[in-house]
Amino acid sequence: MNNQQIIKNTEAFVKNALKNAEGGHDWFHILRVWNNAKLISKNENVDGFVVELGALLHDIADSKFHEGDETIGPKIAREFLENQQVDDSIIVHIENIISNISFKGGNFEQHFNSPELEVIQDADRLDAIGAVGIARTFNYGGFKNRPLYNPEISPDLNQTKEAYKNSEAPTINHFYEKLLLLKDRMNTVTGREIAADRHLYMEHFLTQFYDEWNGKL
Ligand code: ADP
Ligand code: NI
C-alpha cells in the first residue's frame, strides 16, 4: 500500500472512531489539526507521512474520555497501523507522539521529542486558542457541567496532572491554567506567529466578558 492510500484509510478510520465524540474533540478538531500541521510543515524539515499520521491519530482515544487510561490511544493506533502494514519504526514514533503531545496542566515532564511531534503539538495547540479555542473550551465546560465563571474561585497554575484532569473549576479559569500559556510554548516559528494573533483575540474576549459580567454598559 502506498502512503497516500494509508493516509486515506486513516482518515476514514478516525472519522468513524470519533462519530460520537465531544464537540471539541471530534473529527473536525482532527481535520483542523491535520490542516494546521500540513501548513506548519511547509517551513520545517520533517517526515510528512509521520506528521499526517500523527495528526490524524493524536486523539484517537483521549484518556479523559477513557477513564484516565493513557495506554489505550497508542494501543489502538498500533493495531490500526499494523493492519496497514506500516513500518514498526514509524508505529513506535506515532505511539510516542500520541503519549507526549498533551498539555496535562503543563507540569508534566515530556519524555519524548521529535521535529514531527513539535509540528503536531503546535497544530493541536493552535486549535486550543483563538475563536475556535474559546468555543471548544466552553463546550468542554458544558460537557462537564462546569460554571462559566465564578470570581471567588481563582485559577490554579500549579496543579498536578491529576488535579488538572479532575478539576471542577469554572471554565474561565482554564484560560489562565492553559490557553493563555500556550503562545509562549510554541515549538515552531510559524506556530508562534499564528498563536500571537489568536492570543490577542482571547485577551479581547476576556476583557469584554468581564465588562459584561460587571454590568459595564
Ligand atoms: P490537553 O490534555 O493538552 O490539555 P485537552 O485535549 O485536554 O488537551 O484539551 C483540549 C481542549 O479541551 C482544551 O484546549 C479546552 O478547549 C478543552 N478542555 C480540556 N480541559 C478543559 C477544562 N478543564 N476546562 C475547559 N476546557 C477544557
Ligand atoms: Ni487534539
Side-chain angles (χ1 to χ4, degrees):
M1 221 178 315
N2 66 37
N3 288 356
Q4 218 37 54
Q5 188 59 49
I6 295 173
I7 302 276
K8 277 250 159 283
N9 295 347
T10 310
E11 176 181 355
F13 172 72
V14 174
K15 226 182 232 172
N16 183 56
L18 296 180
K19 261 194 322 248
N20 300 314
E22 178 265 317
H25 292 80
D26 62 1
W27 164 250
F28 290 108
H29 164 61
I30 306 304
L31 183 58
R32 291 188 300 266
V33 172
W34 187 19
N35 285 332
N36 289 345
K38 284 191 273 193
L39 187 83
I40 296 168
S41 289
K42 287 188 186 153
N43 300 324
E44 305 296 318
N45 187 8
V46 287
D47 179 335
F49 184 54
V50 170
V51 168
E52 292 200 49
L53 285 184
L56 282 165
L57 290 164
H58 84 276
D59 277 334
I60 189 64
D62 189 320
S63 63
K64 65 180 158 315
F65 303 116
H66 293 84
E67 285 96 40
D69 184 351
E70 291 177 9
T71 64
I72 183 164
K75 208 159 73 197
I76 291 177
R78 164 169 286 280
E79 229 169 69
F80 170 76
L81 295 172
E82 280 178 354
N83 275 327
Q84 302 295 308
Q85 274 125 43
V86 171
D87 284 355
D88 199 64
S89 63
I90 294 186
I91 299 183
V92 171
H93 195 167
I94 300 296
E95 289 178 304
N96 277 321
I97 287 171
I98 297 173
S99 304
N100 288 279
I101 190 172
S102 175
F103 179 78
K104 299 192 180 92
N107 300 316
F108 137 91
E109 202 183 321
Q110 193 174 310
H111 298 292
F112 171 85
N113 210 357
S114 71
E116 288 78 12
L117 169 60
E118 291 195 340
V119 166
I120 302 165
Q121 196 167 49
D122 275 12
D124 194 30
R125 286 174 173 172
L126 287 178
D127 207 53
I129 59 179
V132 169
I134 294 171
R136 291 180 72 214
T137 301
F138 283 100
N139 198 73
Y140 189 81
F143 176 77
K144 290 277 185 182
N145 196 25
R146 293 185 183 152
L148 301 177
Y149 174 51
N150 181 343
E152 287 170 10
I153 304 178
S154 311
D156 180 355
L157 286 142
N158 294 308
Q159 296 176 90
T160 60
K161 200 172 101 177
E162 279 319 299
Y164 175 76
K165 278 199 303 207
N166 300 325
S167 165
E168 288 173 9
T171 298
I172 283 285
N173 291 19
H174 198 64
F175 285 77
Y176 301 93
E177 290 163 1
K178 174 180 174 187
L179 310 187
L180 294 170
L181 310 178
L182 292 179
K183 81 162 171 41
D184 292 328
R185 293 173 180 242
M186 302 303 286
N187 304 307
T188 65
V189 174
T190 318
R192 208 167 305 131
E193 278 170 10
I194 304 172
D197 277 353
R198 296 188 186 191
H199 183 91
L200 279 179
Y201 188 87
M202 291 194 294
E203 287 191 328
H204 289 312
F205 168 81
L206 288 170
T207 306
Q208 175 89 12
F209 185 96
Y210 297 129
D211 281 354
E212 294 180 14
W213 186 277
N214 294 317
K216 277 201 192 152
L217 299 176

